[in-house]
Amino acid sequence: GLFVWHLRNTGIRQIPCRFVHLYHVANDRLITFQYFNFLKRMYVTQCNKDLSQQAKPKSESIVSPFRELQQLDQEKKIVHKISPVSPVHQPWSETSSRNELREMKSAAETEDSIIPVGAESKEDRQWKEMKLQLDDLPGILARLSKIKLTALVVSTASAGFAMAPVPFELTCFLLASLGTGLASCAANSINQFFEVPFDSNMNRTKNRPLVRGQISPLLAVCFAASCGIPGIALLTLGVNPLTGALGAFNIFLYTCCYTPLKRMSIANTWVGAVVGAIPPVMGWTAATGSLDAGALLLGGILYSWQFPHFNALSWGLREDYSRGGYCMMSVTHPGLCRRVALRHCLALIGLSAVAPALDITTWTFPVISLPINLYISYLGFRFYRDADRSSSRKLFFCSLWHLPMLLLVMFTCKKSVLEKEGKGDLPGGSCDRAVEIGLP
Amino acid sequence: PPAHSRSDWIGPPDRLSNLRPIIFYVPPEESALERRLREARQEAQASNQRFWARHNRAFRQEKEEFIYSRLKAKGLEIRDESGQKATLNAEEMADFYKDFLSKNFKKHLQYNRDWYKHNFRITFLMGQVALVRALRWLRRRKKNVEQ
């Protein structure tokens, strides 16, 4: 741990302080998982070393579009699995986004009392010229499009693609992933475009490019259009129209339904769950060209997963939601919040059991996944009964590893395509048109 | 911002509203369209500032009052022996949060409508200004090429 910390530290010494946030250092909460703790320690030492002048430690009370949080924390887990030792030099955007990750994680474990003074560095307090800096542009656009969240969305779409019962086609897979990624960038940019004053008032989101004036709203919209239109076109023409339609619909759902609805009614959570469920469906339709029951099941699993994840998280952010004017179940209907979380934990068990019936996986899947599904349901029940911070945090952290593990198990239990060869024509021709057109 | 600067400047977040104020640069040869854009942005900024400053102040005030009344009801003092401000835990504050949100619901709906209107209008004007500037630049280039 120390060695890695040292590596990280040397890498970011030159990074301006504004990208490093302090958080509540005297945090003695029990961290359920070792690597979360490990990462957190790294950042504590990192932060302490880097910030020369700082206000009191900020206890982060952070509001997040739940999707973002879910995906980002997922990503941290995935990243951690892949590369346990971080590289020496990290681009600042990565570091700051990791800090955001950590922030968000600690958001779930902070006190409810807000210490209003953020740990702003001197640079943050200065007046800045509102001129577009071209060398900053890639970083700015990355943050505008929530690039890490996009990466996670693409990975859930890939999971959908991988689970489809057709022979794997690399071209199709890459086109679908790219198209989904572009669509997600567009949607996220528009979301930030809509939410500038609200983001300004929330600790986690107040350093977004539009809030800081690093980019003009016009540019944000142009960027969104230049990602969204090619992205959807790529999906429609290069993959198949169904995937394109789903992508366009998802963008619409996220930007025009979920984002405004967040401030109007608690129904936003359900809409948001659908938004999260569509990418794997898109992956599946990209592979097979049709909306089978399997696609819907995969979507259903992701849909159900959103609830324990988000409801548990939102439990600790009630103050920010209340002040920001966001209508969330945890504030307005706390009982419903917990009931729904529990209900959907149990639904996950049911959905996993349906998978073999639809020939997506072998019967081993519900058996192997039963322990983790039971565990999350147990935590869901504890959250339902106790309704306190510790149970909500436990449930939230569980959801972070639960989903990747479930998808992994699902993939390993996937019913082999060969087994089904005898069942007639496999619907693997969805990308044939693209291949014929001569795309690389 | 320095006097010779030809661009807008954005400052640190306001203490009350958490919004970042912008000082707009007024070019000497500002066109009518550009003036409309600048005025729209100024108006939006003022309106946002008013709303959030008032809203956040109200939140803090009402929160204090709530804590005070609850502590009173429990028979405790505002500050305990060590001089620290006594606070209520999350579950007790939950009632306040729910209350505050529903009280301000209509206010937020109205503000949302206003904000979206401002935002779209400003962005549209920005687009117009950018288009005009681009055409002007193209025309100038054509003239230079012809000469």
Side-chain angles (χ1 to χ4, degrees):
Chain A
L2 263 171
F3 174 68
V4 182
W5 162 74
H6 176 69
L7 285 178
R8 284 179 148 283
N9 202 41
T10 49
I12 65 158
R13 211 177 298 145
Q14 286 81 33
I15 292 170
C17 293
R18 87 174 93 119
F19 297 127
V20 182
H21 299 286
L22 243 206
Y23 65 97
H24 197 66
V25 173
N27 192 336
D28 55 354
R29 296 259 186 285
L30 256 182
I31 312 297
T32 329
F33 298 103
Q34 193 63 6
Y35 64 86
F36 284 136
N37 211 5
F38 164 70
L39 277 175
K40 203 162 81 87
R41 266 203 298 276
M42 281 202 313
Y43 285 112
V44 173
T45 47
Q46 189 171 281
C47 289
N48 284 337
K49 194 118 202 291
D50 274 346
L51 285 173
S52 42
Q53 65 257 358
Q54 34 190 247
K56 335 179 220 164
K58 165 166 69 165
S59 90
E60 313 274 25
S61 301
I62 298 167
V63 171
S64 54
F66 68 87
R67 179 126 307 89
E68 188 164 325
L69 200 75
Q70 147 222 332
Q71 304 289 22
L72 277 160
D73 277 300
Q74 230 179 330
E75 188 246 22
K76 177 166 38 118
K77 167 151 200 354
I78 295 172
V79 165
H80 196 78
K81 268 199 255 185
I82 295 171
S83 55
V85 179
S86 8
V88 177
H89 287 287
Q90 286 182 338
W92 60 256
S93 54
E94 211 182 275
T95 315
S96 65
S97 46
R98 277 176 196 252
N99 284 330
E100 276 183 48
L101 275 175
R102 185 228 346 104
E103 262 182 57
M104 266 174 282
K105 188 172 41 66
S106 60
E109 58 205 23
T110 53
E111 302 290 347
D112 274 320
S113 56
I114 299 180
I115 300 174
V117 178
E120 289 157 0
S121 61
K122 241 181 172 177
E123 234 181 294
D124 216 21
R125 294 199 183 285
Q126 287 171 348
W127 282 77
K128 300 246 174 58
E129 196 176 1
M130 281 180 91
K131 210 153 88 155
L132 185 64
Q133 314 285 355
L134 278 174
D135 10 314
D136 289 341
L137 194 60
I140 291 175
L141 291 179
R143 275 176 302 158
L144 184 68
S145 62
K146 298 189 211 166
I147 195 84
K148 291 185 354 254
L149 170 64
T150 298
L152 287 165
V153 168
V154 170
S155 63
T156 51
S158 317
F161 193 96
M163 287 307 301
V166 292
F168 182 80
E169 277 184 41
L170 186 65
T171 320
C172 200
F173 175 73
L174 292 174
L175 288 176
S177 302
L178 183 62
T180 308
L182 287 172
S184 170
C185 285
N188 290 328
S189 306
I190 297 288
N191 169 264
Q192 290 200 20
F193 167 71
F194 282 157
E195 301 258 282
V196 178
F198 314 116
D199 284 345
S200 314
N201 273 281
M202 314 279 184
N203 273 327
R204 187 185 59 87
T205 54
K206 69 183 183 181
N207 286 310
R208 286 186 170 169
L210 280 170
V211 173
R212 295 175 105 183
Q214 291 172 316
I215 196 176
S216 75
L218 179 67
L219 205 55
V221 173
C222 290
F223 174 70
S226 62
C227 282
I229 297 177
I232 298 299
L234 190 64
L235 288 175
T236 315
L237 303 171
V239 180
N240 58 56
L242 178 60
T243 313
L246 282 173
F249 176 65
N250 213 18
I251 294 181
F252 166 74
L253 207 59
Y254 184 59
T255 58
C256 303
C257 298
Y258 172 68
T259 302
L261 216 54
K262 276 199 300 192
R263 312 185 56 80
M264 298 201 296
S265 141
I266 59 172
N268 70 74
T269 313
W270 281 266
V271 173
V274 175
V275 173
I278 288 186
V281 177
M282 281 169 67
W284 182 289
T285 60
T288 66
S290 62
L291 258 179
D292 315 312
L296 296 176
L297 179 74
L298 213 57
I301 288 183
L302 247 89
Y303 175 82
S304 278
W305 177 84
Q306 310 287 349
F307 291 98
H309 176 82
F310 178 65
N311 287 357
L313 170 69
S314 70
W315 199 256
L317 303 177
R318 287 178 282 180
E319 169 153 18
D320 264 0
Y321 286 150
S322 168
R323 185 168 63 90
Y326 284 108
C327 296
M328 301 295 178
M329 270 192 281
S330 58
V331 181
T332 56
H333 298 79
L336 178 69
C337 179
R338 301 188 323 267
R339 266 200 313 274
V340 164
L342 178 61
R343 208 185 293 163
H344 283 272
C345 287
L346 298 171
L348 282 171
I349 304 180
L351 287 169
S352 306
V354 172
L358 294 177
D359 261 353
I360 306 171
T361 65
T362 58
W363 59 267
T364 53
F365 174 61
V367 171
I368 303 179
S369 65
L370 194 64
I372 53 176
N373 285 338
L374 278 178
Y375 183 60
I376 198 175
S377 303
Y378 165 68
L379 289 180
F381 175 70
R382 288 288 300 277
F383 176 53
Y384 172 73
R385 196 191 53 186
D386 302 339
D388 62 0
R389 301 223 36 230
S390 86
S391 55
S392 72
R393 275 178 47 234
K394 282 209 191 90
L395 180 60
F396 172 71
F397 282 127
C398 176
S399 73
L400 295 179
W401 59 257
H402 173 270
L403 182 67
M405 195 161 291
L406 189 70
L407 291 177
L408 199 64
V409 170
M410 197 183 221
F411 183 65
T412 52
C413 295
K414 178 181 172 183
K415 204 158 208 179
S416 161
V417 168
L418 296 169
E419 278 178 36
K420 302 196 275 173
E421 209 118 75
K423 293 193 181 175
D425 279 285
L426 285 173
S430 71
C431 284
D432 279 351
R433 190 158 34 119
V435 175
E436 278 167 25
I437 293 176
L439 285 169
Chain B
H4 63 265
S5 163
R6 286 183 56 98
S7 47
D8 303 331
W9 284 69
I10 191 167
D14 177 80
R15 207 173 47 88
L16 278 174
S17 69
N18 295 318
L19 302 173
R20 288 174 180 264
I22 299 178
I23 293 185
F24 298 96
Y25 169 68
V26 190
E29 68 283 350
E30 192 183 44
S31 70
L33 189 65
E34 288 173 349
R35 190 172 49 85
R36 268 184 21 225
L37 170 63
R38 179 174 55 85
E39 287 173 353
R41 290 172 77 191
Q42 279 167 328
E43 193 200 321
Q45 180 169 281
S47 155
N48 279 342
Q49 173 71 17
R50 270 197 311 267
F51 175 83
W52 284 105
R54 207 175 51 212
H55 181 78
N56 289 343
R57 197 175 348 164
F59 181 80
R60 244 164 270 176
Q61 250 174 324
E62 289 182 32
K63 185 176 171 191
E64 286 296 321
E65 287 169 11
F66 177 81
I67 294 179
Y68 183 66
S69 64
R70 276 294 169 96
L71 285 174
K72 257 305 237 347
K74 292 209 287 194
L76 299 165
E77 287 303 316
I78 273 282
R79 286 175 196 273
D80 62 19
E81 302 84 44
S82 58
Q84 296 279 15
K85 264 182 122 173
T87 51
L88 302 172
N89 69 25
E91 301 317 313
E92 291 165 325
M93 292 304 298
D95 292 330
F96 167 68
Y97 297 143
K98 177 170 176 185
D99 214 29
F100 188 80
L101 187 66
S102 34
K103 266 206 302 226
N104 288 278
F105 184 66
K106 280 230 176 64
K107 210 168 73 164
H108 277 294
L109 280 183
Q110 182 60 40
Y111 173 73
N112 290 344
R113 257 195 297 266
D114 292 339
W115 157 247
Y116 272 64
K117 272 205 294 241
H118 280 306
N119 202 18
F120 280 126
R121 183 149 165 262
I122 290 171
T123 310
F124 184 68
L125 283 169
M126 277 184 173
Q128 281 182 308
V129 167
L131 204 63
V132 164
R133 284 200 188 135
L135 288 172
R136 212 185 302 157
W137 180 79
L138 275 171
R139 231 176 290 141
R140 214 179 304 150
R141 242 184 53 145
K142 218 166 74 154
K143 226 180 355 180
N144 286 340
V145 167
E146 282 170 2
Q147 279 170 358

